[in-house]
Amino acid sequence: MSSGLLIGAGLGGFVDGIVFHQILQWHHMLSSMFPPNNLVNLKVNMFWDGIFHSAVWVMTAAGLALLWRAGQRRDVPWSGKTFLGSLMVGWGLFNLVEGLLDHQFLGIHHVVEVAAHQAAWDAVFLLFGAGMLLGGFGFIFKGRGDKISRGGG
Amino acid sequence: MGKTLCWILPLINLTENLSACPLCRAQVAAVIYSQAFGINLLLVLLPIPVLAALAVGIYRADELMGLAGKGR
């Protein structure tokens, strides 16, 4: 579960970074502090985006290491439902933690910086996270009965 | 602290020279490596340890409650 949580949070972080920061360019890590309305501010934001995504990469790598270790243990059931649920919980936690910390409390950026209804977009981001969290726990509970050990034996 | 500075300062110098286009490199570096560098670093990285702590906490709670089916 812990590996799934970390990998799931990493997946959430990369989807946020790739889709919202790079493809849609709706926000950057510090876009409320350095509005990307000129080249210098855009490059400053790109630097801090890189720092954040480096940390997300490390978190994902840690999750992979934990997954490898779990795979070597015979007492850990190799449950697809549990792993999928953990990934979803991790992604949901990313949205909730990053959404509450960065968007609401610290205000260093919002989901859509230039939107007329910034709060609505922030709320959707949080709701998606909550949905992933609940769905993930649903899968985890469903996987409780799985007793498949690694290799299917 | 001294050992940390020994490698972090050359790294900052390296990234200053490699990063950004020549036209605005100095301006970009001035904004990034300002007095607010530390606080900005903290703000940017804050979600990561929170997430890691939550992952560990949920795992420990799961172990205690026996939901993961360990040993079954």
Side-chain angles (χ1 to χ4, degrees):
Chain A
M1 269 187 63
S2 57
S3 65
L5 288 172
L6 289 175
I7 296 172
L11 287 175
F14 286 130
V15 167
D16 185 2
I18 293 166
V19 176
F20 294 135
H21 293 220
Q22 296 186 276
I23 296 175
L24 297 174
Q25 297 178 30
W26 280 355
H27 67 259
H28 299 279
M29 280 309 294
L30 299 178
S31 46
S32 287
M33 296 164 62
F34 303 103
N37 51 16
N38 60 69
L39 183 60
V40 171
N41 277 4
L42 186 61
K43 284 181 174 288
V44 168
N45 272 295
M46 203 174 296
F47 171 83
W48 289 114
D49 285 353
I51 296 293
F52 181 72
H53 295 131
S54 300
V56 171
W57 189 94
V58 170
M59 189 170 62
T60 307
L64 284 172
L66 288 178
L67 184 64
W68 178 259
R69 282 177 60 181
Q72 293 175 327
R73 292 173 54 180
R74 293 285 176 201
D75 61 322
V76 176
W78 206 242
S79 168
K81 293 189 195 76
T82 303
F83 186 63
L84 176 63
S86 303
L87 291 175
M88 290 174 67
V89 167
W91 189 332
L93 278 176
F94 173 84
N95 272 41
L96 288 173
V97 169
E98 205 257 340
L100 288 171
L101 269 179
D102 292 347
H103 305 172
Q104 306 299 324
F105 298 144
L106 298 173
I108 57 176
H109 66 262
H110 298 276
V111 176
V112 187
E113 284 292 356
V114 294
H117 306 288
Q118 224 175 44
W121 284 103
D122 289 350
V124 168
F125 189 83
L126 289 173
L127 283 171
F128 178 80
M132 289 289 271
L133 195 73
L134 291 173
F137 276 122
F139 273 105
I140 289 170
F141 275 104
K142 271 194 166 182
R144 285 172 63 185
D146 289 352
K147 296 171 189 173
I148 307 164
S149 59
R150 191 169 63 91
Chain B
M1 183 66 175
K3 281 186 180 176
T4 307
L5 285 175
C6 280
W7 65 264
I8 206 168
L9 288 175
L11 186 65
I12 289 173
N13 189 49
L14 181 69
T15 55
E16 274 184 19
N17 286 315
L18 290 177
S19 64
C21 69
L23 296 173
C24 57
R25 178 184 295 157
Q27 290 173 275
V28 173
V31 175
I32 292 171
Y33 303 112
S34 64
Q35 282 190 335
F37 179 82
I39 191 72
N40 286 340
L41 188 67
L42 181 69
L43 289 173
V44 164
L45 293 180
L46 192 58
I48 305 300
V50 172
L51 283 165
L54 281 170
V56 170
I58 288 175
Y59 180 69
R60 290 291 180 213
D62 178 69
E63 263 191 328
L64 288 171
M65 291 164 65
L67 292 175
K70 256 178 78 171
R72 278 194 228 160

